[in-house]
């Protein structure tokens, strides 16, 4: 009996084109747009070598150590040796961001001020300061050259070791995708709504017929909700596969925990839908509107449209962070990706389980009533 | 007794939908619940089926109190709702199979029953169709198949022919008769008196949430003073004829339709009413054409008891 109801309800949900579009196609489309729009942000944040020119003249050849030093940092500078005339031309058309000219001393020419120009200037300042120091030492204590002082002066050591709070590099773009998955899980609420409508005699004619069947209410509800959860799990899995394999979004390699998060979150989404559907007697259209409104608001507060929103909510109204299932879902993925420990992850999962039980219990209390005041 | 309802009261705030409603349905009969729209037929059915809460009264089916969890009773009931209650995402076959599967657990048996139901409503060529591809009449037939596939002993049909074309209506009525011949007890609600009169063995007439009369159609017609309706074509009409016919002791009321020259007289219950009218016309040398005599209808019964036409409410 359970299997009979479950399979047919699953068939109904899968064949509902509108439901499939909103729960599956919409997140996939949104993910594609996010990827197209946000990959540029990632690219902007990555550092590329600064293109500079060096005027190739006799004086430069006299400062071989300068050429050696500047060529020792290929990750920082992309060097082109040019004549003065060509250097001006390259600077003008933006091919290089500045050029260095040994002309009775070291001179830097740039077109405008900016981060890259500041980096070039800092590098040259450092070089000039170091060479000046060496010259001073040599004039006062020539023996120091035997002790290898010049090498140690050019040698840069880090005395502070930078450490990461998490196991992955910070990436502001990731939160958009976490929230997108959270939204997808919560869209399970639409299937939940559909299921409750189909079994409530006061909400649909089919529900009235179901009420006449000699089957225990709990069995029908469980089978229907299981069908909705199965469908939504398939949807979330498809979205995850698309994000990981097609869009190459890195979610870390904790497949088990990702699956657990998806399962719990989907259950939360479906039970949220059954809860909203069972506790009010408005038309299905109104209920769908309520679900769209609430899931979108929750996703917005979790950072779907603006990545700083999660931080703002967390600092200004921290309670909201714990009340918002979308935030808990997104934060679970966040915790998995960044943190070495699982405390935060399991706190989120525990809260999501709590919400699922609460929504499920409230749904049952509302739906188990088999006689209606009006139909 | 299959169904026994005693003093059922159902209120919607100030509105009394069922006012001490009583009903008895016997095994093997086709019981008609006739009444105008809003008379409480569907409310009564929903209360009997334990879908609706009610304020007072008792309902017994098969001698046991009906309740939402009376699964052994529900197992023997088939319900065909006024509105089509099927799933748009499932085909004709799947819809019947889904609802039948709520009652029949054995797959092989269920398959046979679904096939029989499809054959019964003549939807074999449409078995793979989705409901939205079916016409109104075919949809109604699917609705019936979903309600009867599990071979219930008691079938309740709530206005199954609303908005159905004459051909489908005929098939539905024939189907109901067949189900009854095969042993099912039928409860049939309608506001179409012709249908009720045609197929029902016993009838209860409802108005304002009450049963105002019940019995076989002959018993119901026997309750009223009106006799047959006499219709005579008058070839040369004059107003004195109306006065003269109206003064006959066997005539209750008389009217004349100028468009078709028909004089319509309603007689009292009794014998030789037509002879008395024809004798009067012959004695007064009034030339007549066509002559009809129709026995009283359920509408006449309703009219005489409530003072209003059953048709007015349709």
């Amino acid at each position: 009996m359970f299997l009979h109801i479950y399979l047919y309800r699953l068939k109904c949900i899968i064949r509902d084109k509108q439901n499939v579009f909103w729960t599956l196609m919409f997140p996939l489309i949104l993910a594609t747009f996010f990827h197209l729009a946000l990959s540029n942000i990632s690219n902007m944040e990555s550092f590329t070598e600064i293109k500079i020119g060096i005027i190739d003249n006799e004086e430069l050849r006299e400062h071989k150590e300068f050429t050696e030093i500047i060529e020792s940092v290929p990750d920082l500078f992309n060097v082109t040796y040019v004549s003065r005339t060509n250097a001006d031309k390259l600077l003008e058309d933006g091919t290089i961001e500045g050029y260095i000219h040994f002309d009775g001393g070291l001179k830097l020419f740039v077109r405008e001020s900016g981060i890259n120009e500041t980096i070039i200037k800092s590098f040259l300042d450092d070089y000039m300061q170091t060479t000046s120091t060496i010259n001073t030492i040599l004039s006062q204590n020539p023996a120091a050259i035997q002790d290898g002082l010049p090498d140690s002066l050019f040698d840069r050591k880090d005395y502070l070791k930078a450490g990461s709070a998490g196991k992955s590099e910070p990436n502001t773009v990731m939160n958009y995708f976490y929230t997108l998955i959270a939204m997808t899980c919560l869209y399970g609420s639409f299937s939940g709504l559909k299921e409750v409508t189909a079994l409530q005699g006061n909400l649909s004619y089919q529900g009235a017929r179901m009420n006449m069947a000699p089957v225990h209410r709990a069995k029908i509800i469980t089978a229907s909700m299981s069908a909705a959860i199965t469908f939504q799990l398939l949807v979330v899995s498809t979205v995850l596969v698309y994000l990981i394999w097609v869009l190459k979004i890195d979610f870390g390699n904790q497949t088990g925990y990702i699956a657990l998060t998806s399962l719990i979150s989907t259950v939360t989404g479906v039970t949220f839908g059954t809860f909203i559907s069972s506790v009010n007697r408005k038309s299905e259209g109104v209920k769908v509107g309520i679900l769209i409104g609430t899931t979108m608001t929750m996703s917005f507060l979790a950072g779907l449209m603006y990545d700083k929103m999660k931080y703002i909510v967390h600092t200004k109204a921290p309670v909201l962070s714990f009340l918002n299932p979308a935030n808990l879902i997104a934060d679970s993925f966040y915790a998995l990706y960044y943190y070495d420990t699982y405390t935060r992850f399991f706190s989120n999962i525990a809260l999501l389980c709590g919400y699922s039980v609460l929504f499920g219990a409230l749904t049952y209390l509302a739906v188990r009533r088999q006689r209606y005041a009006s139909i | 007794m299959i169904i026994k309802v005693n003093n059922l009261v159902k209120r919607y705030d100030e509105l009394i939908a069922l006012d001490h409603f009583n009903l008895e349905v016997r095994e093997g009969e086709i019981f008609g619940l006739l009444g105008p729209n809003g008379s409480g037929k569907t409310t009564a059915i929903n209360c009997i089926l334990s879908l609706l809460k009610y304020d007072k009264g008792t309902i017994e089916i098969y001698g046991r109190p009906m309740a939402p969890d009376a699964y052994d009773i529900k197992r023997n009931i088939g319900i065909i709702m006024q509105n089509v209650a099927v799933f748009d995402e499932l085909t004709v076959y799947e819809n019947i199979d889904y609802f039948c599967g709520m009652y029949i657990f054995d797959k092989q048996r269920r398959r046979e029953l679904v096939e029989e139901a499809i054959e019964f409503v003549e939807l074999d060529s449409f078995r793979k169709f989705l409901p939205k591809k079916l016409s109104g009449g075919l949809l109604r037939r699917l609705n019936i198949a979903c309600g009867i596939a599990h071979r219930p002993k008691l079938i309740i049909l709530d206005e199954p022919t609303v908005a159905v074309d004459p051909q489908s209506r005929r098939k539905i009525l024939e189907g109901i008769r067949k189900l009854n011949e095969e042993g099912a007890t039928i409860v049939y609600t309608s506001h179409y008196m012709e249908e009720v009169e045609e197929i029902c063995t016993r009838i209860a007439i409802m108005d304002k949430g009450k049963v105002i009369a019940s019995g076989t159609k002959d018993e119901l017609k026997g309750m009223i003073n009106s006799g047959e309706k006499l219709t005579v074509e008058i070839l040369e009409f004059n107003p004195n004829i109306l006065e003269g016919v109206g003064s006959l002791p066997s005539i209750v009321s008389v009217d004349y339709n100028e468009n078709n020259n028909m004089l319509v007289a309603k007689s009292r219950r009794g014998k030789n009413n037509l002879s008395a009218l024809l004798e009067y016309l012959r004695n007064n040398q009034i030339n007549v054409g066509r002559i009809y005599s129709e026995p009283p209808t359920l509408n006449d019964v309703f009219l005489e008891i409530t003072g209003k036409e059953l048709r007015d409410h349709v």
Side-chain angles (χ1 to χ4, degrees), chain A residues 42-190:
Chain A
S42 295
N43 292 341
M44 281 162 65
E45 283 178 353
S46 63
F47 181 79
T48 50
E49 313 93 73
I50 304 164
K51 290 177 180 168
I52 58 168
I54 298 177
I55 308 299
D56 190 9
N57 59 12
E58 199 55 40
E59 201 173 330
L60 173 68
R61 283 186 280 275
E62 286 169 10
H63 291 87
K64 276 185 181 172
E65 79 289 349
F66 177 77
T67 314
E68 281 170 17
I69 288 167
I70 207 154
E71 285 181 355
S72 70
V73 282
D75 291 341
L76 190 58
F77 297 121
N78 182 352
V79 181
T80 310
Y81 294 93
V82 286
S83 66
R84 175 68 194 262
T85 322
N86 274 347
D88 283 330
K89 203 183 288 177
L90 292 175
L91 186 64
E92 192 60 34
D93 64 19
T95 309
I96 56 174
E97 294 183 61
Y99 67 82
I100 298 160
H101 190 192
F102 277 94
D103 184 19
L106 195 54
K107 290 174 183 169
L108 172 66
F109 294 86
V110 291
R111 196 166 58 132
E112 56 193 17
S113 60
I115 292 172
N116 287 349
E117 289 77 4
T118 307
I119 292 170
I120 304 169
K121 184 178 178 300
S122 300
F123 182 86
L124 294 182
D125 283 345
D126 189 43
Y127 168 78
M128 288 170 76
Q129 205 162 348
T130 308
T131 47
S132 168
T133 307
I134 290 170
N135 288 336
T136 307
I137 291 168
L138 285 178
S139 63
Q140 292 177 7
N141 182 16
I145 200 163
Q146 303 297 326
D147 302 333
L149 182 68
D151 289 341
S152 69
L153 277 171
F154 279 108
D155 189 20
R156 293 286 181 270
K157 278 184 182 168
D158 287 325
Y159 292 97
L160 286 175
K161 190 179 177 186
S164 172
K167 51 198 170 193
S168 303
E169 289 300 314
N171 184 348
T172 53
V173 170
M174 290 302 287
N175 197 55
Y176 287 103
F177 291 103
Y178 295 148
T179 324
L180 180 72
I181 298 167
M183 187 197 80
T184 310
C185 293
L186 289 179
Y187 269 16
S189 55
F190 293 112

Side-chain angles (χ1 to χ4, degrees), chain A residues 269-289:
Chain A
V270 171
T271 52
F272 178 65
T274 58
F275 164 68
I276 292 288
S277 181
S278 59
V279 294
N280 75 71
R281 285 207 55 192
K282 299 274 185 273
S283 70
E284 197 174 342
V286 173
K287 286 179 183 177
V288 168

Side-chain angles (χ1 to χ4, degrees), chain A residues 275-307:
Chain A
F275 164 68
I276 292 288
S277 181
S278 59
V279 294
N280 75 71
R281 285 207 55 192
K282 299 274 185 273
S283 70
E284 197 174 342
V286 173
K287 286 179 183 177
V288 168
I290 292 171
L291 282 184
I292 291 175
T294 47
T295 50
M296 270 301 168
T297 306
M298 288 192 286
S299 301
F300 169 72
L301 292 175
L304 181 70
M305 292 89 172
Y306 176 52
D307 65 321

Side-chain angles (χ1 to χ4, degrees), chain B residues 62 127-128 158 169 187 225 261-262 272 279 308:
Chain B
Y62 296 114
R127 59 171 59 222
K128 287 185 180 169
D158 187 10
R169 176 176 295 194
V187 175
N225 289 323
N261 301 328
M262 289 295 188
N272 305 321
E279 192 180 338
K308 59 195 178 191

